[in-house]
Amino acid sequence: MLVSSSYAGQFFQPASNQDYYSPSSYAGKVQFGYVYGTSAIGCLGIHALLNLMSSSGVSYGCVASILGYCLLPMVILSSCAIFFSLQGTFGTVLALVIIGWCSLSASKIVTSALAMEGQQLLIAYPCALLYGLFALLTVF
């Protein structure tokens, strides 16, 4: 027998730590799920849109990598949120600038990769909506 007969604990559960299953331990996991869900649904939507708009098809991996690469300026917004609140006028203006930067850079890469001349603003609008959701998650 591996365990003595006087052992009163449970095998795969912490018996002594009562705060293990408290709601405060799930604080960051909910927002992380929102980020995954938003990015997956957004990539699927942009992928479907680009396949309808372009003459040549585009892979899902290409769309996900472009959208993920152009999400990097949002890191600037989230690091600004560490030092000061973004819920005022300055935070709103900064978020709008970052959203514009992300969406225009993503649409520029897509138009050059898929040879979609003259359609940059048509691609930038849904990208701006997607990056706006990420900015809302960052600000609030």
Side-chain angles (χ1 to χ4, degrees), residues 43-118:
C43 285
L44 284 174
I46 300 290
H47 177 257
L49 181 72
L50 289 177
N51 277 331
L52 291 173
M53 288 177 66
S54 69
S55 59
S56 63
V58 61
S59 68
Y60 180 76
C62 179
V63 173
S65 66
I66 290 172
L67 291 177
Y69 176 73
C70 294
L71 191 66
L72 284 175
M74 201 65 67
V75 175
I76 296 170
L77 184 67
S78 63
S79 49
C80 287
I82 294 171
F83 299 111
F84 54 87
S85 175
L86 296 176
Q87 295 181 359
T89 306
F90 179 72
T92 303
V93 170
L94 183 63
L96 288 174
V97 167
I98 296 293
I99 290 168
W101 182 7
C102 290
S103 64
L104 286 177
S105 62
S107 64
K108 192 174 290 188
I109 292 173
V110 167
T111 55
S112 66
L114 297 177
M116 299 172 66
E117 304 301 324

Side-chain angles (χ1 to χ4, degrees), residues 15-66:
S16 61
N17 191 358
Q18 298 298 323
D19 294 330
Y20 186 75
Y21 295 110
S22 68
S24 64
S25 66
Y26 297 120
K29 295 176 183 159
V30 175
Q31 284 82 10
F32 201 65
Y34 286 150
V35 170
Y36 269 145
T38 302
S39 63
I41 292 172
C43 285
L44 284 174
I46 300 290
H47 177 257
L49 181 72
L50 289 177
N51 277 331
L52 291 173
M53 288 177 66
S54 69
S55 59
S56 63
V58 61
S59 68
Y60 180 76
C62 179
V63 173
S65 66
I66 290 172

